[in-house]
Structure formats: C-alpha cells, structure tokens
Amino acid sequence: MSENSRDTFNLTIALPKGKLFDPAKTLLEKCGFSYPGLSDEARTLIFEDKERGVNYIICRPTDIPTYVEHGAADLGIVGKDSILEAGKNLYELVDLKFGYCRFAAAAPREVLAADGTFQWRQGLRIATKFPTVAKEYVRKKGLQAEIIKLHGNIELAPRVGLADLIVDIVSSGRTLKENDLVALEFLGEATARLVVNRASYRLKSREINKLVADIKRVLETEGGECS
Amino acid sequence: MSRDNFHIPPGMRDWLPGEAYRKRELVNRLLAAISLWGYEEINTPLMEYYQVLLPGENLCGPDHLYKLTDRDGRILALRSEMTTPIARVISSKLPDQYPWRLMYGGEVFRYEEIQTGKQREFCQVGVELIGEEGPEADSEVLAIAIEALQAAGLDDFTISLGHTGVLKSLLENFTADEAQLNEVRNLLLEKDFVGLGNCLLEAGMQKEKAEMLLRLLTRQFSARELEQLPVDCRPEQSQVQSQVQGQVQAQGKQEPEQLLAEWLPELADVFADLRRTLAYLKLYGYDRYIQVDLSTLRSQEYYTGMVFEIYTPGIGYTIGGGGRYDELLRHFGKDYAATGFALGVERILLSLAQDKNQTAAQTQTPLVLVAGTDPGRVVQKARELRMVGQRVLMQLEKLTPLEAEARAQAKGAVLDWCGDGEDDAR
C-alpha cells in the first residue's frame, strides 16, 4: 500500500436522476464539489472532473445501491426507500434529511367500511414498486398476500382491478387523493442517505471522511439534525 | 442429450483451462507461503452433519447452508467455511498437544444471493492457530495473511482491524432488551450508521453519547494513530487525525474516546489488545497495512476478540478476513483459544486479473509440440523434454513439417521437429 495513492483525490460519486438530483447536487456544491454542466437531463451519464479527480455517475435511483455495492461508485446519494428495497451490502453513513417521504399502504376509498376501516384478510393482492418492503410488511401483519411488482404508476392497479391495495412511497399525498386512494397505514419514513462502498470506505477513508464531515457541517448549519 | 443438461446450478461455475490453472497456482502459492510458518495442511469432508456446522452460521436469520438428507433421514450440509469443521477435528481426533498450526485450501458452499465476486461455491485458503492466546498469536496470523497475499503478487491492500469487544461492551452497557440488542448488532453489521444512531436514541441513549459512539465507530486509525492515542484517551492527537477531525474539534466537542472510555470501561482493554497486536506487527514492518476500524465485524457469531477484513482497490468486497474465536471449541467440548483467517481465492484472482503484470507472470511454462517421421524418436524426445520439466504435446502420426508447424501454432506451442537421423532440426 503506497502512501501516495492516498493523496490522489479519486472518488466516483453516483447521483440519482429525478427529484433527489437537485438537492444532492446543491449539497455537494456546498461541500466544494461543484462541476459545471452536471445535470441529470444531459445526454451524458458520466461527468469527469479531472481537475479534482472526481467522477459523477448519473443513474436511476433504484440502481444506485447496485453501483455502490459493486464498487463501480465509491459513494452514492439515494433514498432510504431504494436502499430498503435493494437489500444490498452498503455502508449508510449520513442521513441527508432531504427527499422525505413515507411508505404507505393505501386502498381505494370505495372498499373501505362506513367507518373508514379496511377489512384486512388473507390473500390480498398488493401492487408495489417495493416488493421487498411489501413482503416484510405483510409478514409482520401475519398475512399472506400476493405481491404484484410494477415499475410505476402504482395507483392505477386498484382502479383496474389488478390489486386490492398498494404499497408505495407518499410525499405530499396528492397522487393518492387524485386517484381516490386512502392511506391505511404508514410503514416507515425515508430520506436521502449517503451510502458508501465497503471497500472504498476503508481504502479511501481520508477522502470519504472529509466529505462526510463537510456534509455534516452543512447539515448542522442548516439546522437539520445530524445523526 | 437435451440442451437442458448443459446447465449448472446457479452460483456454481466451471473452471476452464487457463482459469483452472491460475486458480490452482494461486492456491498453491498461498499454501506454500503459509507453510513456511510451520503450518500443516488439514482436510475435512465437503459434507457434514447439519448440527455440526451450525456454530459457523448466523444465529439470527436463516442459515446459508446447502442441506440434504442421507438415507437414514439425517440432515447433512455442505461446509460453508472451514473453521467449524476444523474445530470439530481438533476436539475429536487430535491429541491434546496444542498449539496446532493448521492450514487449508478448499471449496466451501453458501446459499447466498449471487452477484459478482459472490458465488455459492468458492475456494478458501486459510489458517487456524489453535491453543494460543493473545496478541502474539493474533499478530502471527495477521502477518501470515499479509505474507500470503504478498506471495500471491498482491501488495496494495488494507487490513481493517476491529474488535468484538467494542460491540460486546456497547451491548452490555446499553440495554437488556434482547430485541434491541439484536437490532443494534444487525445495524452495526450492516453498517447502517444512520439507523444505528436512530435506534440508540429511540432506546433512550443520550444524544451526546450516541454521537460520540458513532464518531468512534466511523473513524479509522492508522497503527501509528492508535499508538499515539493513550489508553486513558487524553485528547492528544496526531496531525493526520487533527486534519480529519478538525471540524469536530472546532466545535469544542470532547474527544469521543475519552468520554466513551469512562462510560464503557472495557474499551480500554480493547485498545490495549489492539495496540499490543500492532506492536508485534510493527516488528515485521507490517503495521502499514493496518487500519483500525472499530466498526469491523464479521458475520459469524463465534468471534471473541480482534477481527479483521482485507480490502484491495478495484474489488468492492473483502478479499479475506478472520479473527479470534476463543469460544467456538466449547461447542465441541474443548476450551482452546483460537485465531485464524480465510482468504477468498476467487476474489484474489479477480484482483490479480486487474493487474496486467500479474496476469503475465501467471501463465504456464511454454508448451512444446514434438513431431517427426519416426514415432520412436518422437516418444524418446518427448520423454527427455518432460524429464526436464517441459510441457510436451506429442504427435505420433506422420505429418509433414508444415502440418506439424500449423498444429503447433494452433495449440500455441513451439514445434520440436525430430528429423531423419539428424538431431532435432527446429
């Protein structure tokens, strides 16, 4: 192990496309990691900041745990929802506090009893983008259910009779309302996290620790609770 | 034969010519390096009784064993690691003449999700030093691991050194609630530091303590830094540490070790143990490979002291790991201290494959194709070449020199042509 290799600032960071991208980019900028043109809407998915020796990979949020677990990226910023679903071997270092959402089980209003309760029973069909989370949920409830994996627009499933209820992430609750779905129970909360590959965590500890310390400082000065 | 018969079970793999050679060559090199330390090879069956192997599995959650039943209805399992079978052998078949220095190289099976570098059948080379306690033995196995990897041609690796005493002390001083203890253990094993922080707070730990603890667990010390950190943990720091921890200190917070040591007195023992181990490693000059990381844990529950994992750039997983397991032998009715490690052969191969110089160095000796007009001379010549260690292909059919040359080329061999009467005219 040469001491020199430690001195080259050499990190690959995976960033999620979509709603977490902008807050993630802003946070990194505050920590001194800014790169002109870094965008999740550009044609390119890799940005190389040669000056600082930092590579950015832009990918789907659900793929970030995979990139980081395999070490294709040293670090990633991703929602806890994707981490839970992926079940990968990652080090979860910092709660970044943005991208708050909740897992909810929701059913169409029309199937609820007059007092608003839902008749839980065996053999329910549950549509979800998060089969792992949904399975764990029904297991804890002591139910057997058929989990139907969909890739998007879960709210459609109960309306066309594909499923009795859905398990999905809810941030404002507007989608549920628009589709006349009622949240029955909340399964847990999720925010964006900084995840790290287990080997990088050891081999690039100095760079990573510095970034983590910077992120924590930014979060603290912004009044967020730091874990 | 139907095409279905071409499949092999998920997580298994065929080792084709070249690959198989490199794998065996690596295993041999690792074992040769280890045997220089006076370790003797031991072999155990691939298949054992299920109960025998259980101590090597996680206590919570499903085990990862491949199970089958024998004709008497007893449950068997394929070994998932070598330490437990060796503990069984020591306890039942070897006279009480400890210490034992044993090494092994063999396949183990684990029913796990398949991914790159994580197959269900894989090869481990490792050592067990049984019947010796303390940092003397721990530093010995660490030094062997380092020299074995060096012998394999790997030099750029880091050993992450931890101690189960950290978790133990935390659990003992924290709560008696079994469910919470398990949760803390799992969160730490999964390195979910966010979840761990939340869990500690929910269980009623003071925020300050939880933060200190997390800071200690997410911090890495070089051997030198650990040495300079006094046992009673006064807030003296090396320069490197000050750099890393600068921000934290700027906020006027106390050194985590100091407060934690008051709160978790066992930590002082942990630090002392690690420090003595590192002091021995320094005698070899190997402390440079070590990084102390107190969050290092192994998934097996039998570890009782120092534990370590080995990482190398380019591979997102550990390439090996081990630690002290003083209680495992008790499962088999003996009370021997023990320490050891296992290296993942496939992962080391992956790492070596990324290094061009290494791949070149690992090719076999050149192949010679012997052909000629007189089969008797061909046999004779081939035999002579084999006697001096050449790898020889023979061609007894009558070929023209041109045909022979073409065949040699097709096999990547050098032609050795036995002409008429004359000595080989290559």
Side-chain angles (χ1 to χ4, degrees), chain A residues 1-3 5-6 68-71 80 86-95 97 193-194 197-206 209-210 213-214 216-217 220 225-227, chain B residues 113 115-116 118 155-158 160 190-195 198 207 211 214 217-220 240 243-244 247 251 253 288-289 291 293 295-296 309 311-313 315-318:
Chain A
M1 177 181 58
S2 71
E3 288 292 326
S5 66
R6 292 292 172 83
V68 175
E69 186 190 37
H70 288 252
K80 178 70 178 174
K88 300 281 184 188
N89 197 335
L90 306 167
Y91 287 8
E92 203 178 311
L93 292 186
V94 189
D95 184 350
K97 302 294 178 188
R193 305 289 158 92
L194 180 76
N197 172 268
R198 54 188 286 177
S200 307
Y201 179 67
R202 269 52 188 251
L203 299 167
K204 301 182 178 176
S205 58
R206 183 179 299 185
N209 281 336
K210 178 172 181 327
D214 286 348
K216 286 188 171 176
R217 207 185 42 225
E220 264 176 32
E225 286 218 334
C226 178
S227 43
Chain B
E113 207 186 318
Q115 13 180 273
T116 330
K118 205 171 187 181
D155 194 52
D156 193 3
F157 56 87
T158 295
S160 217
E190 287 166 13
K191 300 292 182 293
D192 178 355
F193 294 111
V194 174
N198 293 340
K207 187 160 181 256
E211 278 180 7
L214 284 175
L217 290 174
T218 54
R219 172 171 168 186
Q220 284 129 359
V240 183
Q243 268 177 8
V244 177
Q247 297 85 358
Q251 289 162 17
K253 294 199 175 151
R288 66 197 164 103
Y289 291 102
Q291 198 176 47
D293 178 336
S295 71
T296 306
E309 292 186 329
Y311 294 92
T312 184
I315 305 288
Y317 315 91
T318 58

Side-chain angles (χ1 to χ4, degrees), chain B residues 27-268:
Chain B
V27 169
N28 289 347
R29 263 209 242 191
L30 294 170
L31 288 175
I34 296 167
S35 74
L36 295 178
W37 289 73
Y39 283 62
E40 289 185 284
E41 188 166 358
I42 184 168
N43 262 316
T44 67
L46 279 180
M47 209 189 285
E48 299 242 3
Y49 285 120
Y50 171 64
Q51 310 90 286
V52 172
L53 297 183
L54 268 185
E57 293 295 303
N58 304 339
L59 289 183
C60 36
D63 62 60
H64 293 289
L65 294 170
Y66 268 91
K67 278 161 280 203
L68 40 143
T69 45
D70 71 7
R71 292 186 173 186
D72 300 329
R74 281 176 297 196
I75 306 176
L76 310 174
L78 300 181
R79 63 187 185 199
S80 66
E81 41 99 62
M82 294 292 286
T83 303
T84 311
I86 290 174
R88 173 187 59 73
V89 175
I90 290 286
S91 312
S92 58
K93 303 240 165 77
L94 289 177
D96 282 350
Q97 287 167 349
Y98 54 86
W100 294 276
R101 285 178 162 78
L102 301 170
M103 65 177 189
Y104 58 84
E107 320 300 325
V108 299
F109 299 81
R110 251 174 239 176
Y111 200 88
E112 280 187 298
E113 207 186 318
I114 302 160
Q115 13 180 273
T116 330
K118 205 171 187 181
Q119 296 287 307
R120 287 178 177 169
E121 178 191 23
F122 51 98
C123 180
Q124 287 190 328
V125 168
V127 310
E128 313 293 350
L129 171 47
I130 298 173
E132 285 217 353
E133 301 173 43
E136 293 77 11
D138 287 337
S139 60
E140 176 172 324
V141 298
L142 278 162
I144 297 173
I146 290 165
E147 291 197 351
L149 288 173
Q150 287 172 337
L154 213 61
D155 194 52
D156 193 3
F157 56 87
T158 295
I159 298 185
S160 217
L161 183 66
H163 201 289
T164 55
V166 177
L167 179 65
K168 194 159 165 269
S169 146
L170 168 66
L171 295 181
E172 277 171 7
N173 289 280
F174 172 50
T175 165
D177 183 84
E178 192 67 30
Q180 269 173 350
L181 292 183
N182 272 334
E183 199 182 345
V184 168
R185 186 199 307 272
N186 285 336
L187 288 168
L188 196 52
L189 204 55
E190 287 166 13
K191 300 292 182 293
D192 178 355
F193 294 111
V194 174
L196 182 62
N198 293 340
C199 173
L200 294 175
L201 292 177
E202 273 166 33
M205 186 182 283
Q206 291 166 12
K207 187 160 181 256
E208 206 178 34
K209 270 189 183 175
E211 278 180 7
M212 284 189 309
L213 188 68
L214 284 175
R215 226 173 299 143
L216 181 73
L217 290 174
T218 54
R219 172 171 168 186
Q220 284 129 359
F221 309 87
S222 71
R224 202 180 47 213
E225 284 162 356
L226 186 80
E227 206 173 287
Q228 286 167 353
L229 202 75
V231 181
D232 60 353
C233 302
R234 284 187 304 272
E236 285 173 18
Q237 288 201 318
S238 73
Q239 288 184 327
V240 183
Q241 255 172 278
S242 311
Q243 268 177 8
V244 177
Q245 295 284 308
Q247 297 85 358
V248 175
Q249 289 189 359
Q251 289 162 17
K253 294 199 175 151
Q254 263 181 291
E255 262 305 281
E257 295 73 31
Q258 189 186 0
L259 288 163
L260 278 171
E262 289 168 19
W263 171 45
L264 302 174
E266 300 88 343
L267 278 187

